[in-house]
Amino acid sequence: MKLDAKSTIEAGKAILGIEFGSTRIKAVLIDQENKPIAQGSHEWENQLVNGLWTYSIDAIWHGLQDCYADLRANVNKQYNTEIETLAAIGVSAMMHGYMAFNEKEEILVPFRTWRNTNTARAAAELSELFVYNIPLRWSISHLYQAILDNEEHVKDIDFLTTLAGYVHWQLTGNKVLGVGDASGMIPVDTTTKTYSTEMVEKFDKLVAPKGYGWKLLDILPEVLLAGENAGTLTEKGAGKLDISGHLKPGAPVCPPEGDAGTGMVATNAVKQRTGNVSAGTSSFSMIVLEKELSKPYEMIDMVTTPDGSLVAMVHCNNCTSDLNAWVGLFKEYQELLGVPVDMNEVFGKLYNHALTGDADCGGLISYNYISGEPVTGLAEGRPLFVRSANDKFNLANFMRTHLYASVGVLKIGNDILLKEEQVKVDRITGHGGLFKTKGVGQRVLAAAINSPISVMETAGEGGAWGIALLGSYLVNNEKKQSLADFLEENVFAGDAGVEIAPTPEDVAGFNTYIESYKAGLAIEQAAVEAKK
């Protein structure tokens, strides 16, 4: 029998998903049909403390409690009821980073987030040792950098985890981590579905001369797959989450996951030969592989889906910020003329006009580097628009080059996968701000990676919905389905979204553009050096 939303909440059948994003903590409550019925949020910002990006422990708990209180208020307003019990809970957060605790459960140094780039030496040495690309933001890079820097706290580490792992531990008492998030601490072996034994042994041998009282596996969380029991909400945990005291303990909690994993779930992209592209302030693509790549690549990070399949991730620091800044300029011009401004209309008109331009942007090039871009080897960024006297300089080409630039770096990384490694992909789903104007961002991305791109109505629900779905998979999977089958049948029910296939002209045009783009990277490098 299908319950209405109020009855679902009152019967304790609702599932709670919480995600800690970089600027917002979001909570989503879903019903038995996996549809969102209430939500809450809390805005927050990282701080730069002693040269490192961090969020304080107080900010984490205040943010979570405020977000949950906002959810309670939303439930009260919509349904005039209280959340007393839940069918399941899931916690997700930004991946990677460094949260180290001593045996008294005290944090040893402020949380070091994924944004920190002080780990270059550690990442380079570990990449060589492991013969595997170890990014700067991974937990093992942070740990080894602290060792290289002879930081006093390292000898006292009793537990090392991520933000999602920390919050889950405090709510349940369990030191565990979902395999997707764990794969951003240290590489995971996709056959054993846990940390790579070979790499753990290499690391222990590397740091043995330091004489620490721990081995790596002593301090890392236990790795769990989607659907496995990760503990229940304790009385202490319920009190930390809901300071009003209404929420009762006992709800099962699914393995905590990273935001990349929940993005894959929210776009139905956990099956091999599927992928998703998230395109907003920054962008990343996740392609679920059928087998290992032939060799490591510095611009491709290897992580896993929440059920342990290997994923190739291309992460770009820049996407739509520069494009949005140019659109803002046209808004100012419109205001100067005294024309009322509707930003949706401005974006829609400019984006659609871009599609009337030349497929190769008429020779114009744009570099959208607000910040550095590791994939193309730029430590810092300078936004640049470049043209020569003979290029076709008009509004359509101008807008088109900025749209191309927003996914240019993504194309460079994915060309390695799709061309050099011959990776096969049946479906790629796009989500994020670039796809808000119907059909335009989709068409540009389809041309960039020469693959059909789908966009779903639900893609905007995001990671909090994704982790709620993993909570649902934990408690509502009576048929013992794989995660991919569970999502396909019970959540998306065949909805593949609206698909746009690339045209040969667009693909050829983008390929011409990207060759000029790569040749012109020296201009960007010169701009960085000239304007310190």
Side-chain angles (χ1 to χ4, degrees), residues 17-19 24-30 34-41 259 262-268 430-433 436 455-469 491-492 495:
I18 299 158
E19 182 155 279
R24 192 163 67 128
I25 304 169
K26 189 176 174 186
V28 169
L29 213 56
I30 62 170
N34 301 304
K35 304 224 167 15
I37 51 175
Q39 55 185 334
S41 67
D259 50 2
T262 57
M264 287 187 267
V265 171
T267 52
N268 195 20
H431 58 118
K436 271 188 184 160
V455 170
M456 291 190 240
E457 291 297 321
T458 49
E461 301 290 355
W465 182 55
I467 191 69
L469 295 178
V491 181
F492 296 95
D495 174 22

Side-chain angles (χ1 to χ4, degrees), residues 357-375:
D358 294 300
D360 64 355
C361 304
L364 312 182
I365 309 174
S366 167
Y367 296 97
N368 62 339
Y369 298 3
I370 303 282
S371 65
E373 194 54 82
V375 173

Side-chain angles (χ1 to χ4, degrees), residues 4 42 92 131-132 140 184 319-320 346 426 430 433 436 447 496:
D4 62 34
H42 169 84
S92 168
V131 198
Y132 202 94
I140 197 75
C319 186
T320 58
V346 175
D426 297 328
K436 271 188 184 160

Side-chain angles (χ1 to χ4, degrees), residues 209-507:
K210 294 283 187 182
Y212 297 126
W214 50 261
K215 289 267 180 64
L216 191 54
L217 290 183
D218 300 336
I219 62 173
L220 291 177
E222 180 192 349
V223 181
L224 296 176
L225 301 181
E228 291 187 332
N229 174 20
T232 54
L233 183 67
T234 62
E235 196 162 338
K236 184 180 162 195
K240 287 191 93 157
L241 180 58
D242 179 13
I243 53 175
S244 76
H246 283 91
L247 183 62
K248 295 182 176 63
V253 188
C254 70
E257 264 302 345
D259 50 2
T262 57
M264 287 187 267
V265 171
T267 52
N268 195 20
V270 297
K271 195 177 277 187
Q272 289 179 355
R273 295 173 67 118
T274 66
N276 78 82
V277 170
S278 171
T281 309
S282 63
S283 69
F284 58 84
S285 64
M286 317 282 295
I287 307 290
V288 190
L289 304 176
E290 295 175 282
K291 61 179 195 297
E292 295 262 359
L293 300 180
S294 66
K295 61 179 184 184
Y297 294 91
E298 200 176 331
M299 56 187 71
I300 297 171
D301 303 347
M302 305 307 293
V303 292
T304 78
T305 62
D307 57 350
S309 285
L310 196 63
V311 176
M313 178 181 192
V314 177
H315 186 280
C316 314
N317 284 355
N318 301 283
C319 186
T320 58
S321 296
D322 189 43
L323 175 60
N324 292 346
W326 282 108
V327 174
L329 207 64
F330 291 111
K331 168 185 171 260
E332 280 188 52
Y333 174 65
Q334 208 168 316
E335 286 170 338
L336 208 58
L337 295 178
V339 180
V341 173
D342 170 352
M343 282 313 285
N344 286 334
E345 188 187 15
V346 175
F347 272 103
K349 283 268 198 290
L350 289 170
Y351 275 30
N352 279 296
H353 188 57
L355 297 183
T356 68
D358 294 300
D360 64 355
C361 304
L364 312 182
I365 309 174
S366 167
Y367 296 97
N368 62 339
Y369 298 3
I370 303 282
S371 65
E373 194 54 82
V375 173
T376 47
L378 273 298
E380 286 180 57
R382 300 285 180 272
L384 277 186
F385 170 66
V386 184
R387 69 186 178 105
S388 66
N390 299 325
D391 292 335
K392 294 181 195 165
F393 183 45
N394 56 42
L395 182 59
N397 283 342
F398 179 79
M399 285 311 300
R400 192 166 181 131
T401 189
H402 288 294
L403 282 163
Y404 275 23
S406 65
V407 294
V409 179
L410 207 58
K411 174 179 173 58
I412 292 169
N414 278 281
D415 276 354
I416 291 172
L417 294 173
L418 304 175
K419 291 180 180 176
E420 291 181 37
E421 290 284 338
Q422 300 288 305
V423 169
K424 298 286 179 278
V425 188
D426 297 328
R427 186 186 75 234
I428 295 178
T429 306
H431 58 118
L434 182 66
F435 305 105
K436 271 188 184 160
T437 300
K438 264 203 168 88
V440 180
Q442 239 177 309
R443 184 171 149 187
V444 166
L445 183 61
I449 57 181
N450 194 11
S451 170
I453 305 294
S454 299
V455 170
M456 291 190 240
E457 291 297 321
T458 49
E461 301 290 355
W465 182 55
I467 191 69
L469 295 178
L470 288 171
S472 178
Y473 181 61
L474 174 70
V475 294
N476 292 332
N477 186 20
E478 293 88 8
K479 294 186 199 166
K480 301 281 180 265
Q481 291 172 297
S482 69
L483 178 59
D485 288 345
F486 177 83
L487 293 174
E488 191 66 50
E489 286 184 29
N490 303 287
V491 181
F492 296 95
D495 174 22
V498 178
E499 185 178 273
I500 289 182
T503 68
E505 300 78 33
D506 281 356
V507 173

